[in-house]
Amino acid sequence: QKEVEQDPGPLSVPEGAIVSLNCTYSNSAFQYFMWYRQYSRKGPELLMYTYSSGNKEDGRFTAQVDKSSKYISLFIRDSQPSDSATYLCAMSAKGFQKLVFGTGTRLLVSP
Amino acid sequence: NAGVTQTPKFQVLKTGQSMTLQCAQDMNHNSMYWYRQDPGMGLRLIYYSASEGTTDKGEVPNGYNVSRLNKREFSLRLESAAPSQTSVYFCASSFTDQPQHFGDGTRLSIL
């Protein structure tokens, strides 16, 4: 079993929809949680990061962490075609150095 | 603002050939990393360098060597390439207490 599980998708939604992307993990020591966006043939780009539990909001994006359930989510409001990409979750027990990545969820937002 | 620059962008090798992938960052980051990304496997850490003059193994170091040439540059060497090393290789950098920033990758095929 992988330490971090992420549904590969693709997840197809119409423009304007609210998108929910999720990861589950097995290591209870994880405390740092990140979401990266990766466009085709590009490198991952950091979207948001959180420490421990709770929510964090940045524009149309909201990250949630539920440590009791070992479950993290990224919500995208008013989704746009430009949001079409692969979304990677990443996490670590200590700092930002030794990250464990999910395999990514491919999101397609149609006009 | 270049960020993390990887060269080359594409390369095809024959089994047994050697090659060095180059990475340079202009953000004055102290830590640098090499990952490989394979379908269904996510990003996996090959080696990292927490600071100039130090290198450490990651999850999948076998078949690779690294050199932290100076604070800006971190190279990855394949001494005798094998088809199993066909992958997309990403370099990343960060400050110790900040998330990682990625380059756009090197696509490597080994025949």
Side-chain angles (χ1 to χ4, degrees), chain A residues 49 96-97, chain B residues 33 93-101:
Chain A
Y49 67 94
F96 295 95
Q97 297 202 325
Chain B
Y33 313 82
S93 69
S94 73
F95 292 115
T96 303
D97 58 349
Q98 293 291 318
Q100 298 174 26
H101 297 261

Side-chain angles (χ1 to χ4, degrees), chain B residues 35-47:
Chain B
Y35 292 87
R36 59 180 290 173
Q37 187 176 39
D38 303 290
M41 299 295 291
L43 282 158
R44 292 181 292 168
L45 183 64
I46 303 170
Y47 272 94

Side-chain angles (χ1 to χ4, degrees), chain B residues 7-107:
Chain B
T7 55
K9 295 189 187 308
F10 305 93
Q11 186 69 48
V12 179
L13 293 178
K14 294 181 180 178
T15 297
Q17 287 185 317
S18 62
M19 165 142 198
T20 299
L21 308 185
Q22 306 287 353
C23 175
Q25 52 92 9
D26 63 1
M27 296 174 281
N28 202 34
H29 288 160
N30 51 299
S31 300
M32 297 186 73
Y33 313 82
W34 277 106
Y35 292 87
R36 59 180 290 173
Q37 187 176 39
D38 303 290
M41 299 295 291
L43 282 158
R44 292 181 292 168
L45 183 64
I46 303 170
Y47 272 94
Y48 70 102
S49 171
S51 60
E52 189 178 354
T54 69
T55 59
D56 286 289
K57 294 178 181 179
E59 181 185 355
V60 288
N62 291 345
Y64 305 95
N65 287 301
V66 291
S67 294
R68 183 75 182 266
L69 304 170
N70 49 55
K71 190 171 186 179
R72 291 185 62 248
E73 298 173 288
F74 189 37
S75 63
L76 179 72
R77 183 162 178 83
L78 287 69
E79 290 289 353
S80 179
S84 61
Q85 294 177 304
T86 292
S87 188
V88 183
Y89 291 86
F90 287 99
C91 177
S93 69
S94 73
F95 292 115
T96 303
D97 58 349
Q98 293 291 318
Q100 298 174 26
H101 297 261
F102 286 80
D104 281 338
T106 293
R107 282 155 184 80

Side-chain angles (χ1 to χ4, degrees), chain A residues 12-33:
Chain A
S12 295
V13 301
E15 183 176 357
I18 297 174
V19 175
S20 172
L21 302 164
N22 311 294
C23 288
T24 59
Y25 62 95
S26 57
N27 188 345
S28 58
F30 286 151
Q31 295 194 82
Y32 294 80
F33 304 94

Side-chain angles (χ1 to χ4, degrees), chain A residues 9-15 17 19 21 79-87 105-111:
Chain A
L11 176 63
S12 295
V13 301
E15 183 176 357
V19 175
L21 302 164
S79 56
Q80 302 295 310
S82 58
D83 294 327
S84 297
T86 297
Y87 289 80
T105 298
R106 187 175 172 212
L107 172 66
L108 302 172
V109 182
S110 54

